[in-house]
Amino acid sequence: MHRTALLLVAALAVARPAAADVVFYTGEELQRIFSLGPWPPPSLIKARDPSNRVSGQPAAIELGRRLFFGARMSSNGYVACVTCHQTDRAWTDGLARAQAIGPSGRNTPALFNLRMQQWYGWSGGADNLWAQSIRPFLDPNEMDSSPRLVKRVFERDPELACMYRQAFGVEPTGRGETVLANVGKALAAFQETLVTGRTRFDEFRDALARNDRVAARNYPYAAQRGLRLFVGEGRCIACHAGPNFSDGAFHATGVRAPAAVLPDDAGRSGGLRQLRESRYTLLSHHSDDRSSAGAAATRRALGEAAPERAFRTASLRNVAVTAPYMHNGQLATLRDVVRHYSTVDGNGVDPRLPQRLELSESEADDLIAFLETLTDGFGAERPRPAAATSICTE
Ligand code: HEC
Ligand code: HEC
């Protein structure tokens, strides 16, 4: 008797946090929810980058790590990748727009799950990760460097030169442009290791997929309602699709800073211009992918016209810890973003956008509660990747 009562109390104690129930989702809603997983997806784990022959190789990852945290390749010797992509801010800088040697018109994106992207930068100015990784060297407002300066750093640092030899099997003495492309490839190999972990949403999605209602109840009820808006009325999933919450395509969302604040940003059409002018695309001799299939998307994109002020759909993984938002950092909080989508008139901007969604305050709260469950266990504080042993440093 006594024992039974104890068991009953214990059962109630276990049941209490699960007092909330599970929202009823229609079959169609469930299919959409399932399409946002599983995490991590095979496409993230797969896969060396065929255009980068050192992708996935430990010696290149270690060289890339060193370069990412080192400032010697900037013109003033003070700016490194980590200046803007900071470990304790989920690889962003917390600023509306990046600022280093000079001001930038764009927000610093987080660096996560990069192998899942086809295009890099807000307007897809690069068609591969190694080209995107050398862009800051060549931008006078970021690191203001040059192929010559980069080569000189290797000439003056025998340890780095040794690491370059380890990674590429040649001396860093070839053409400046080749050395720079290889630096990009080492940086890319390092950044490919930056992936997000599982989130509360992933647990919920998998619980629904197994039809495990007990586990599903651990997911906050407000987030469950927000998820229904996300896959339904809010139309968010029309663009924020798949396990990385991005269709990888370019869309206008009606975000535009007042002309007095910022010069107009053309978005994708500017990105295509950059791509046409770049010497480091998948069509260039710097690409290690000799199959023509690899560059098919680039060839196709170069022949296409871009919608006005379209930007790449941002991934929403870890979005709660990467404020401020949008390509120009114009929206300070998730509430501002939700308010934007709630009031934007998609007419004439992008047919996928909601038209005057006009969410109530409590619906906005629900949508935000959902977005907050997309944060992984580390949140903003990412562990600083440890140095690997290298025969060059002993
Ligand atoms: C001054 C700040 C700053 C510095 C320094 C900087 N970045 Fe960035 N990074 C940015 C901004 C701003 C963007 C967005 C650029 C765009 O839209 O074209 C960006 C975009 C990127 C992207 C594309 C991410 C995506 O999701 O498409 C990668 C990769 C990247 N940076 C890597 C690097 C590497 C590697 C370095 C060092 C060599 C570096 N960054 C240095 C600010 C910076
Ligand atoms: C038409 C496609 C489309 C739809 C529909 C859409 N988004 Fe977006 N979303 C984008 C694009 C594109 C960006 C980047 C826009 C920019 O930088 O100007 C973005 C950016 C965001 C960001 C900021 C991410 C960051 O890191 O800066 C959030 C948050 C967001 N969307 C949430 C939502 C929510 C919630 C909904 C549904 C109410 C939604 N989106 C509907 C395309 C879309």
Side-chain angles (χ1 to χ4, degrees), residues 191-210:
Q191 294 169 94
E192 284 167 4
T193 67
L194 309 177
V195 296
T196 57
R198 282 176 62 82
T199 65
R200 291 214 282 168
F201 164 74
D202 298 315
E203 298 298 337
F204 179 61
R205 180 235 173 245
D206 292 357
L208 289 180
R210 306 192 293 275

Side-chain angles (χ1 to χ4, degrees), residues 12-301:
L12 283 174
V14 171
R16 191 167 306 126
D21 204 359
V22 182
V23 159
F24 175 78
Y25 296 111
T26 65
E28 196 181 328
E29 283 168 344
L30 282 173
Q31 287 315 310
R32 291 185 188 162
I33 293 168
F34 296 158
S35 75
L36 296 167
W39 193 265
S43 61
L44 184 61
I45 308 163
K46 78 169 188 234
R48 309 255 155 114
D49 173 356
S51 74
N52 177 0
R53 68 192 180 288
V54 298
S55 169
Q57 295 191 5
I61 294 172
E62 179 56 14
L63 173 61
R65 191 195 63 81
R66 279 281 292 266
L67 296 171
F68 192 92
F69 290 96
R72 272 173 301 173
M73 290 187 179
S74 61
S75 67
N76 65 5
Y78 292 114
V79 184
C81 311
V82 71
T83 307
C84 301
H85 301 284
Q86 299 168 14
T87 48
D88 56 352
R89 289 198 167 101
W91 304 111
T92 69
D93 52 15
L95 301 172
R97 288 169 288 280
Q99 173 80 37
I101 290 175
S104 153
R106 295 227 175 130
N107 175 259
T108 304
L111 303 178
F112 287 127
N113 310 326
L114 291 162
R115 274 299 285 132
M116 297 181 77
Q117 289 178 207
Q118 166 105 57
W119 304 105
Y120 298 88
W122 287 102
S123 53
D127 62 358
N128 67 76
L129 183 54
W130 42 273
Q132 178 69 36
S133 303
I134 56 184
R135 186 199 57 87
F137 291 114
L138 305 176
D139 185 331
N141 284 328
E142 294 197 7
M143 299 172 81
D144 187 31
S145 187
S146 64
R148 252 191 44 228
L149 182 63
V150 167
K151 247 177 88 169
R152 198 149 20 123
V153 171
F154 286 110
E155 279 159 18
R156 292 184 181 170
D157 185 333
E159 194 180 309
L160 266 191
C162 167
M163 293 175 81
Y164 184 102
R165 268 195 311 276
Q166 287 288 311
F168 295 101
V170 291
E171 297 288 336
T173 50
R175 290 186 56 206
E177 211 181 276
T178 308
V179 174
L180 190 60
N182 282 345
V183 161
K185 288 173 185 176
L187 282 164
F190 165 65
Q191 294 169 94
E192 284 167 4
T193 67
L194 309 177
V195 296
T196 57
R198 282 176 62 82
T199 65
R200 291 214 282 168
F201 164 74
D202 298 315
E203 298 298 337
F204 179 61
R205 180 235 173 245
D206 292 357
L208 289 180
R210 306 192 293 275
N211 206 8
D212 179 349
R213 295 186 72 81
V214 175
R217 284 198 200 112
N218 290 326
Y219 191 59
Y221 202 59
Q224 297 184 33
R225 286 192 306 252
L227 172 59
R228 188 164 55 193
L229 284 169
F230 190 88
V231 301
E233 203 189 342
R235 299 205 201 168
C236 315
I237 198 173
C239 302
H240 296 283
N244 203 26
F245 291 82
S246 170
D247 60 0
F250 299 86
H251 303 282
T253 57
V255 170
R256 192 175 172 188
V261 180
L262 273 180
D264 198 22
D265 189 327
R268 181 56 171 158
S269 57
L272 286 175
R273 192 168 347 103
Q274 267 176 282
L275 204 61
R276 256 176 230 120
E277 290 165 3
S278 170
R279 304 172 62 81
Y280 302 95
T281 67
L282 294 179
L283 296 165
S284 74
H285 69 277
H286 294 298
S287 169
D288 299 319
D289 185 1
R290 293 281 154 253
S291 77
S292 67
T298 305
R299 233 176 263 115
R300 214 175 318 118

Side-chain angles (χ1 to χ4, degrees), residues 199-201 219-220 222-223 316 318-321 325 334-335 364-376:
T199 65
R200 291 214 282 168
F201 164 74
Y219 191 59
L316 299 180
N318 275 347
V319 73
V321 292
Y325 301 108
L334 283 179
R335 190 163 297 277
D365 290 345
D366 290 347
L367 199 47
I368 294 165
F370 163 65
L371 293 171
E372 283 172 345
T373 66
L374 300 177
T375 307
D376 70 7

Side-chain angles (χ1 to χ4, degrees), residues 284-366:
S284 74
H285 69 277
H286 294 298
S287 169
D288 299 319
D289 185 1
R290 293 281 154 253
S291 77
S292 67
T298 305
R299 233 176 263 115
R300 214 175 318 118
L302 288 174
E304 281 166 5
E308 252 182 89
R309 293 186 197 85
F311 295 88
R312 203 189 67 239
T313 306
S315 164
L316 299 180
R317 287 197 175 264
N318 275 347
V319 73
V321 292
T322 61
Y325 301 108
M326 308 313 223
H327 67 277
N328 58 11
Q330 195 185 335
L331 302 176
T333 63
L334 283 179
R335 190 163 297 277
D336 294 334
V337 176
V338 167
R339 203 171 287 138
H340 166 75
Y341 283 113
S342 187
T343 52
V344 72
D345 183 355
N347 260 330
V349 181
D350 188 297
R352 289 176 189 78
L353 280 176
Q355 288 173 27
R356 301 225 161 268
L357 183 58
E358 288 170 358
L359 297 174
S360 68
E361 269 312 293
S362 74
E363 286 172 322
D365 290 345
D366 290 347

